[in-house]
């Protein structure tokens, strides 16, 4: 049903009061758009009729038929809605010259595309799987169990591993075990006895199944981390995996909006869920080891521990404990060589029996050591995992410093920064704060003394005047540019320019998945 707000907007846009659509457009649509439209696209800068038709699996001729306003020159207006599907994708019936006495079918038409693998005949309700959906969100939104979803859509598989995005699922209809209906999409669970243990088990549970002797459950709210589940319930990762096999040994398979088993009949009981740890002897070393520890395990000869509070960064851990990333990785393999696997709300090993471990002081001042061979004093800590051995110039990265600032201040290129500090990555997304970068090497070209960058304009082979400096990786057919200002992010830029994030990444190929924009550099926001 069209809301009063939408109706008012359409009036203001000058559309006829009687103009209605099968599915309302998200923004204003041209008045000559077909009324039996069931899917829309909002026009963006740089789009063409051919690109829209390709993206939505239709012919350009169909796009013109749905949107007569595009026939003359395909003038796509940014922010205007255009139809890309008629009648749920079902071809309109051919005109008939005979009178039929067959009763009109009341079955719901099936929209397309549908989940591969088929769906049950006679489906009465459909759900379009959005790009941001997960199997658990589909179940929660439609009040289904995974077994019901599987019965209605065999292609998703019994553990939902076959679920596709941007297709229609059946979420209500007949199944071999009887009709499936949905009445609520709330997360409130109906407890039902499961198996012979007599324990009321809420649904949905973690796929593919939980153990049959579970007697304690925990509902995973969206955004809950695995470490929070362990900490809140006073259990180990090994126990969570043993009782919920689908989470995986490293907890990478844990779902949101499902119930986990966090206790079993005859199993250990927990009396506290606070972050205060109870020391227990671990192994033969006689050291009291707090729990939980960083998964999957820490070294057995650990004698010093550090609890990771929410929001603590990896370099903060290294600085507070006076250790290197190599040591942290050696004693806590789960953090990974680049520290990307470090958990919050767990204890890390930051010292071992017989060696290693930071100094007793917790204050961290920059100290210098002599690097063998080159005679240059090297400040610490440096950018992990290491810098080149012939470095002779260093730059300390203050919190909040952007990659472009480092390059500009030191008069170096991104290629040089990456060559001398491999951990920053080719797109600079791995640069750390609170560490020293190498910004010059023995025998290398000296950096210029000036740090002022002047904007210039050059004309490329495509005839378009291109301002400089440009973000590395810009496409060669760019026609419109945007200069990154202070405080700009991908989100603010897309909002200001009405360019989609996908196009921004497509036309500026080295932004990376983290969309690392550089201050005072030009981005491409439209192409020829």
């Amino acid at each position: 049903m069209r809301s009063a707000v939408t109706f008012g907007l359409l009036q203001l846009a000058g559309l006829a009061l009687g103009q209605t659509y099968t599915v309302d457009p998200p923004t204003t649509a041209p008045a000559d758009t077909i009324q039996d439209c069931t899917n829309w696209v909002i026009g963006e800068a740089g789009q063409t009729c051919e690109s829209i038709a390709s993206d939505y699996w239709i012919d350009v001729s169909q796009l013109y038929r749905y949107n007569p306003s595009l026939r003359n020159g395909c003038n796509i207006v940014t922010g205007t809605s255009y139809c890309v599907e008629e009648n749920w994708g079902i071809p309109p019936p051919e005109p008939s010259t005979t009178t039929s006495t067959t009763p009109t079918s009341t079955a719901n038409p099936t929209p397309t595309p549908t989940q591969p693998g088929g769906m049950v005949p006679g489906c009465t309700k459909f759900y379009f799987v959005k790009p941001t959906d997960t199997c658990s969100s589909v179940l929660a939104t439609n009040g289904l169990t995974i077994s019901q979803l599987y019965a209605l859509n065999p292609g998703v598989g019994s553990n939902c591993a076959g679920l596709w995005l941007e297709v229609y699922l059946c979420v209500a209809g007949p199944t071999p075990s009887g009709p499936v209906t949905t009445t609520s999409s709330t997360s409130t669970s109906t407890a039902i006895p499961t198996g012979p243990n007599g324990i009321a088990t809420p649904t949905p549970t973690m796929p593919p199944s939980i153990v049959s002797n579970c007697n304690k459950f925990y509902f995973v709210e969206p955004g809950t981390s695995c470490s929070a589940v362990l900490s809140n319930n006073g259990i180990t990762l090994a126990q969570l995996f043993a009782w919920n096999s689908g989470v995986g040994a490293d907890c990478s398979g844990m779902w949101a909006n499902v119930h986990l088993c966090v206790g079993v009949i005859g199993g250990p009981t927990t009396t506290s869920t606070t972050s205060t740890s109870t020391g227990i002897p671990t192994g033969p070393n006689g050291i009291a080891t707090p729990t939980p520890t960083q998964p999957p395990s820490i070294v057995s000869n650990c004698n010093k521990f550090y609890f990771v509070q929410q929001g603590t960064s990896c370099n903060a851990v290294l600085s507070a404990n006076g250790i290197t990333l190599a040591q942290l990785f050696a004693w806590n393999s789960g953090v990974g060589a680049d520290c990307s696997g470090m958990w919050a709300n767990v204890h890390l090993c930051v010292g071992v029996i017989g060696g290693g471990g930071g100094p007793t002081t917790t204050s961290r001042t920059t100290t210098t050591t002599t690097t063998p061979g080159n005679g240059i004093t090297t400040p610490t800590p440096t950018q992990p995992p290491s810098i080149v051995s012939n470095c002779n110039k260093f730059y300390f990265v203050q919190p909040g410093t952007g990659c472009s600032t480092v390059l500009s201040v030191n008069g170096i290129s991104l290629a040089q920064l990456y060559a001398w500090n491999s951990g920053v990555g080719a797109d600079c997304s791995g640069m750390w704060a609170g560490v020293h970068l190498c910004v010059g090497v023995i025998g290398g070209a000296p950096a210029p003394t000036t740090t002022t960058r002047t904007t210039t304009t050059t004309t490329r082979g495509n005839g378009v005047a291109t301002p400089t400096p440009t973000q590395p990786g810009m496409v060669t057919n760019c026609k419109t540019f945007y200069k990154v200002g202070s405080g700009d992010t991908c989100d603010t830029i897309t909002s200001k320019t009405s360019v989609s994030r996908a196009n921004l990444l497509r036309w500026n190929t080295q932004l990376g998945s983290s969309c690392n924009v550089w201050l005072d550099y030009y981005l491409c926001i439209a192409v020829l």
Side-chain angles (χ1 to χ4, degrees), residues 37-62:
C37 186
T38 51
N39 195 14
W40 302 85
V41 62
I42 300 175
E44 297 179 355
Q47 281 184 321
T48 65
C49 284
E50 289 76 13
S51 66
I52 292 176
S54 175
D55 288 343
Y56 289 89
W57 304 296
I58 60 175
D59 296 329
V60 174
S61 60
Q62 288 176 290

Side-chain angles (χ1 to χ4, degrees), residues 393-398 400-414 417 421 424 428 431-432 435 437-439 451 521:
K393 184 179 179 184
F394 307 90
Y395 180 86
F396 185 75
V397 184
Q398 297 288 349
T401 303
C403 190
S404 56
T405 301
V406 174
L407 302 180
S408 177
V409 168
N410 294 284
I412 60 175
S413 67
L414 177 59
L417 186 69
N421 309 266
V424 303
C428 210
M431 187 181 82
W432 283 27
V435 297
L437 294 170
C438 178
V439 292
T451 60
Y521 277 65

Side-chain angles (χ1 to χ4, degrees), residues 442-460:
I442 297 173
T449 56
T450 178
T451 60
T452 303
R453 181 172 288 278
T454 304
T455 299
T456 59
T457 302
T458 60
T459 301
R460 294 188 174 185

Side-chain angles (χ1 to χ4, degrees), residues 219-354:
F219 185 76
V220 185
E221 297 285 353
T224 303
S225 66
C226 191
S227 55
V229 173
L230 302 181
S231 178
N232 290 341
N233 295 283
I235 59 176
T236 65
L237 178 60
Q239 289 172 314
L240 187 68
F241 177 40
W243 302 334
N244 309 267
S245 61
V247 302
D250 60 355
C251 210
S252 60
M254 187 181 81
W255 284 23
N257 294 318
V258 296
H259 291 83
L260 294 171
C261 179
V262 292
V264 294
I265 298 173
T269 58
T270 58
T271 58
S272 173
T273 60
T274 65
S275 61
T276 303
S277 306
T278 303
I280 57 173
T282 300
N285 64 12
I287 302 295
T289 301
T291 57
T293 55
Q294 165 75 35
S297 63
I298 61 174
V299 291
S300 60
N301 63 329
C302 186
N303 67 349
K304 185 180 179 184
F305 307 90
Y306 181 87
F307 185 76
V308 184
Q309 299 285 350
Q310 287 281 359
T312 303
S313 65
C314 190
N315 54 316
V317 173
L318 303 180
S319 178
N321 294 283
I323 59 176
T324 65
L325 179 59
Q327 288 173 312
L328 187 69
F329 177 40
W331 303 332
N332 309 266
S333 60
V335 303
D338 60 356
C339 210
S340 60
M342 187 181 82
W343 284 25
N345 296 318
V346 296
H347 291 84
L348 294 170
C349 178
V350 292
V352 294
I353 298 172

